[in-house]
């Protein structure tokens, strides 16, 4: 064992070592132009008896896609990775960076380097676009991730009734992106939460909106490590700045649902979150890179399962 940066990692744990010692440092305003990610989109019809709306509106559906994908990655993993340890292969199997729990950095959980989303396919009322987005150097495993994504859908995904059904891909698209466009900060902005926002502490109401920005800051700090970058930012100052914005969260509504966890014996777990819109008015300039990247990476807890996804719309004051 050796101490490296923010954590103690095993000498053979190459993923953890890379996360602990980023090559560069960047300010928050620079981060969007340094960001790189890849999207894998599979186009599928819903199985018989289900509509597109039944599935894309279900908060648990992206998590079920993730579970099916993880099983395919596990099937192809090394024996060490299958037991929860670092993969000794060179390069490591895809399960290692994408699903294994990595050491905490600065006392904070290391986020998984991807998000999952389900949408109606543009121009096709009877098809879904099922999207897996990989961030940073997780894209080194893009081919393995894409193959496992197809096999997961074809092999069967749990439906809301608990039964499994195949989602045969009718098409697949892979797109690699370098940089995230950063528009000039507007006088106001609307965040529309497409999937429920879950915050560990506080809420997305005026009194707890700091928790939303704290959550975004923690998430972007962790995901920047997958970009080989450490973010230099005054997080306390940004939280204080956010508290001075005018907030309209009157349309947020609580939602509840249940998900299943294979790690917990497939026991149903009650989930709660907030869905709807939040309007921010004031000086958004210091926060605009954070909000822009958050629309790509999601916000709050369980983001890797598709939660906390929002659309960002600039508004005139």
């Amino acid at each position: 064992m050796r101490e490296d940066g923010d954590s103690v990692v095993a000498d053979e744990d190459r993923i953890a070592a890379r996360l602990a010692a980023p090559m560069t440092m960047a300010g928050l305003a620079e981060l969007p132009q340094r960001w790189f990610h890849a999207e894998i989109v599979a186009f599928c019809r819903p199985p018989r008896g289900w509509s597109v709306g039944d599935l894309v509106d279900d908060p648990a559906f992206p998590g079920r896609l993730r579970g099916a994908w993880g099983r395919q990655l596990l099937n192809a993993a090394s024996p060490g990775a299958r037991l929860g340890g670092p993969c000794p292969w060179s390069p490591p199997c895809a399960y290692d960076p994408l699903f294994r729990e990595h050491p905490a950095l600065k006392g904070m959980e290391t986020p998984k380097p991807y998000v999952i989303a389900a949408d109606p396919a543009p121009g096709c009322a009877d098809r879904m676009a099922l999207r897996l987005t990989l961030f940073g150097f997780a894209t080194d495993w893009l081919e393995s991730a894409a193959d496992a994504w197809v096999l997961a859908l074809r092999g069967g995904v749990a439906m809301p009734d608990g039964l499994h059904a195949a989602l045969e891909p009718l098409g697949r698209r892979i797109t690699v992106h370098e940089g995230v466009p950063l528009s000039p900060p507007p006088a106001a902005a609307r965040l529309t939460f497409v999937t429920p926002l879950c915050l560990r502490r506080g809420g997305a109401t005026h009194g707890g909106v700091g928790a939303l920005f704290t959550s975004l800051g923690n998430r972007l700090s962790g995901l920047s490590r997958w970009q080989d970058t450490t973010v230099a930012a005054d997080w306390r100052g940004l939280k204080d700045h956010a508290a001075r914005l005018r907030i309209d969260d009157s349309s947020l509504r609580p939602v509840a649902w249940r998900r299943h966890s294979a790690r917990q014996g497939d026991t149903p777990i009650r989930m709660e979150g907030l869905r709807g819109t939040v309007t921010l008015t004031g000086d958004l300039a210091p926060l605009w890179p954070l909000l822009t990247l958050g629309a790509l990476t999601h916000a709050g807890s369980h983001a890797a399962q598709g939660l906390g996804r929002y659309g960002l719309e600039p508004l005139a004051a």
Side-chain angles (χ1 to χ4, degrees):
M1 303 291 288
R2 61 186 171 86
E3 188 169 343
D4 192 347
D6 301 312
S7 60
V8 176
V9 298
D11 286 335
E12 69 274 12
D13 194 342
R14 286 162 287 174
I15 303 297
R18 186 169 177 179
L19 291 169
M23 294 184 294
T24 62
M25 180 176 290
L28 186 58
E30 303 171 77
L31 195 57
Q33 67 186 31
R34 294 172 176 261
W35 200 270
F36 62 100
H37 61 283
E39 293 179 326
I40 305 159
V41 183
F43 300 95
C44 307
R45 289 192 180 94
R48 186 182 301 275
W50 299 99
S51 70
V52 170
D54 290 335
L55 299 181
V56 302
D57 292 336
D58 178 4
F61 185 55
R64 291 195 289 268
L65 294 173
R66 178 181 182 268
W69 178 55
R71 288 190 290 273
Q72 293 296 333
L73 292 173
L74 185 63
N75 288 339
S78 68
R82 289 176 63 86
L83 293 174
C87 179
W89 292 353
S90 182
C93 61
Y95 188 86
D96 188 327
L98 299 176
F99 262 78
R100 184 166 66 88
E101 297 295 332
H102 296 285
L105 299 171
K106 292 186 177 179
M108 293 186 296
E109 178 183 350
T110 301
K112 297 293 188 296
Y114 56 84
V115 291
I116 291 171
D119 292 300
C124 298
D126 65 339
R127 297 187 187 184
M128 302 176 291
L130 306 180
R131 179 179 293 101
L132 169 65
T133 304
L134 304 180
F135 301 124
F137 70 82
T139 59
D140 292 351
W141 289 269
L142 178 59
E143 288 189 16
S144 297
D147 289 345
W149 190 240
V150 169
L151 291 173
L153 300 174
R154 181 175 291 154
V157 176
M159 294 293 109
D161 59 6
L163 300 178
H164 283 68
L167 298 171
E168 179 62 32
L170 304 173
R172 191 192 73 176
R173 184 183 69 218
I174 297 177
T175 311
V176 177
H177 304 267
E178 293 190 11
V180 174
L182 185 64
S183 61
R190 180 183 296 119
L191 282 64
T192 301
F193 284 95
V194 181
T195 60
L197 170 68
C198 299
L199 295 171
R200 287 191 172 91
R201 293 182 297 275
T205 60
H206 190 285
V209 73
L212 170 60
F213 285 97
T214 297
S215 176
L216 274 173
N218 290 342
R219 180 158 173 75
L220 267 296
S221 291
L223 285 176
S224 71
R225 299 300 184 108
W226 292 97
Q227 306 285 333
D228 291 312
T229 300
T230 301
V231 180
D234 177 10
W235 298 114
R236 171 65 66 180
L238 288 171
K239 180 179 177 179
D240 292 342
H241 186 90
R244 293 192 292 271
L245 299 175
R246 295 193 300 277
I247 312 295
D248 180 1
D249 55 14
S250 58
S251 71
L252 283 178
R253 296 290 181 268
V255 293
W257 69 100
R258 294 187 182 276
R259 70 177 181 92
H260 290 75
S261 171
R263 291 185 178 181
Q264 300 186 35
D266 212 31
T267 302
I269 301 171
R270 179 178 169 82
M271 300 288 292
E272 295 179 335
L274 296 169
R275 206 167 189 173
T277 64
V278 175
T279 301
L280 309 174
T281 305
D283 180 11
L284 296 179
L287 301 162
W288 195 238
L290 191 68
L291 291 167
T292 299
L293 285 172
L296 173 66
T297 66
H298 302 191
S301 301
H302 305 295
Q305 298 176 25
L307 299 183
R309 178 185 172 204
Y310 65 85
L312 182 63
E313 179 186 0
L315 302 174

